[in-house]
Amino acid sequence: RCTGAGRCEPCGTGLFGALCLPLPALSFVTPEAVGDTGGEVIAVHGFNFNVSASYTCSFSASLWTSAALFVSSQELACVFPQTTTADSNSQVFVAEEGAQISAGNALYVRLENLCANVTCHHGFCSRSTCFCYSGWRGDACSEQVVPIVFPSDPAPLAATEYLAFSAALAVQQGLPTQWRLLSGPAGLTVDPPDGRLVWAAPRLPAYPETHHVVEVEAADAELASSAVQVVELHVARAYNVSVRVDRASIEGLGSAAGIDGLSVVPPGSTIRLVGTVCAVDRRVNVSHIPVALWVRRQQHPLLVTRLAGVTDARGGF
């Protein structure tokens, strides 16, 4: 070390550097016990660990050596490996740049056989927990998974426009407890626990489609088995519309005259269109609803006129 007179004197045993600091040393480890299945992080406590140095950990219970993570000048972190040793303790060794660091007393961790009293029939044990092979489930991997199977050719579902729709999907095999809607029309939902499709106000598919396509996934409680079903959903129109020309509205023809066979209507004539909206289901309300008509001229098919109105209490307009 350097003295005030500008001279250097050697440090005592176990000390180094200009300030004669203690060499890196180990003190104790936590936790005191680890499972023999490995994977747990052990904190090695000591002093004078160097952030720029490279450290490794090794254990008497395993031939595996791992890098130690620098936490602070007083702590390193090591991962304990899996071991099959019959010993109840494992000594901990730490090296800095390949040179083993000394400890006042040998450092040990106690090994606990976490799977000694665990039986996994169709799986393996890790940290006292069974991890099942494919096709098995349960705490002891003793329950065989029954695959979920949907009908190969499901019947189409049927709904009526504007009327609340509900239908339960069925499986041929398995016990699904989780359902998920993968695709379908806007507003359609599936009840996650029981797989019931619900649609508050069904709508017709966009032209030219004739039906909606619904895709649903079903899985069991532990996601050990799942399947996807694709089914058609047909929505029937809730009403029929009829439109006719009010022949009496054409000036000069009279109420009894018809327009059949006429190819020319006098210029400036007013033509009145009337119609009726008839519900196909008595639950559908057709009174006081908006109606829109598009009239195209035969001689000018690109010229389209939009007419709007509202039905009366009986559906007439």
Side-chain angles (χ1 to χ4, degrees), residues 109-127:
V109 290
R110 186 174 70 256
L111 301 182
E112 296 180 342
N113 187 346
L114 300 178
C115 294
N117 300 317
V118 179
T119 300
C120 302
H121 297 280
H122 299 277
F124 63 93
C125 177
S126 177
R127 300 187 184 186

Side-chain angles (χ1 to χ4, degrees), residues 204-291:
L204 296 173
Y207 181 82
E209 301 297 331
T210 60
H211 60 270
H212 298 288
V213 177
V214 179
E215 187 175 13
V216 178
E217 180 185 51
D220 62 11
E222 299 177 4
L223 301 180
S225 176
S226 64
V228 174
Q229 175 73 295
V230 179
V231 63
E232 295 180 1
L233 174 55
H234 294 256
V235 179
R237 189 177 297 275
Y239 56 87
N240 292 315
V241 179
S242 61
V243 181
R244 62 183 178 83
V245 175
D246 182 5
R247 290 174 290 189
S249 67
I250 302 179
E251 185 178 353
L253 294 182
S255 60
I259 63 171
D260 296 337
L262 291 179
S263 58
V264 177
V265 174
S269 299
T270 299
I271 299 177
R272 183 169 180 265
L273 300 178
V274 296
T276 305
V277 177
C278 298
V280 299
D281 189 294
R282 63 182 181 180
R283 294 173 294 174
V284 178
N285 180 24
V286 295
S287 64
H288 303 96
I289 61 174
V291 177

Side-chain angles (χ1 to χ4, degrees), residues 39-313:
E40 295 185 51
V41 176
I42 296 176
V44 180
H45 302 271
F47 52 89
N48 209 43
F49 298 136
N50 186 355
V51 65
S52 301
S54 174
Y55 295 92
T56 58
C57 292
S58 57
F59 306 88
S60 62
S62 173
L63 299 177
W64 186 62
T65 298
S66 66
L69 176 66
F70 178 88
V71 178
S72 70
S73 62
Q74 297 181 334
E75 182 180 343
L76 300 174
C78 304
V79 178
F80 188 79
Q82 184 177 7
T83 177
T84 57
T85 181
D87 297 337
S88 59
N89 295 291
S90 177
Q91 189 172 357
V92 181
F93 304 96
V94 177
E96 179 186 77
E97 304 295 350
Q100 185 171 316
I101 301 176
S102 63
N105 296 306
L107 303 183
Y108 290 91
V109 290
R110 186 174 70 256
L111 301 182
E112 296 180 342
N113 187 346
L114 300 178
C115 294
N117 300 317
V118 179
T119 300
C120 302
H121 297 280
H122 299 277
F124 63 93
C125 177
S126 177
R127 300 187 184 186
S128 71
T129 301
C130 284
F131 293 86
C132 303
Y133 299 133
S134 178
W136 297 89
R137 65 182 177 187
D139 293 340
C141 300
S142 58
E143 303 173 27
Q144 190 168 11
V145 175
V146 179
I148 296 174
V149 178
F150 280 108
S152 58
D153 188 19
L157 303 175
T160 300
E161 190 180 16
Y162 305 125
L163 299 182
F165 164 79
S166 176
L169 296 176
V171 297
Q172 285 183 334
Q173 179 179 289
L175 297 172
T177 59
Q178 303 180 49
W179 296 78
R180 186 164 62 102
L181 182 65
L182 301 180
S183 64
L188 180 69
T189 61
V190 63
D191 189 24
D194 62 13
R196 178 170 292 276
L197 291 171
V198 177
W199 198 358
R203 293 292 187 268
L204 296 173
Y207 181 82
E209 301 297 331
T210 60
H211 60 270
H212 298 288
V213 177
V214 179
E215 187 175 13
V216 178
E217 180 185 51
D220 62 11
E222 299 177 4
L223 301 180
S225 176
S226 64
V228 174
Q229 175 73 295
V230 179
V231 63
E232 295 180 1
L233 174 55
H234 294 256
V235 179
R237 189 177 297 275
Y239 56 87
N240 292 315
V241 179
S242 61
V243 181
R244 62 183 178 83
V245 175
D246 182 5
R247 290 174 290 189
S249 67
I250 302 179
E251 185 178 353
L253 294 182
S255 60
I259 63 171
D260 296 337
L262 291 179
S263 58
V264 177
V265 174
S269 299
T270 299
I271 299 177
R272 183 169 180 265
L273 300 178
V274 296
T276 305
V277 177
C278 298
V280 299
D281 189 294
R282 63 182 181 180
R283 294 173 294 174
V284 178
N285 180 24
V286 295
S287 64
H288 303 96
I289 61 174
V291 177
L293 301 176
W294 283 263
V295 179
R296 176 177 295 150
R297 301 182 185 183
Q298 185 174 1
Q299 294 83 356
H300 303 283
L302 297 181
L303 298 178
V304 178
T305 302
R306 182 181 184 275
L307 305 176
V310 177
T311 61
D312 58 23

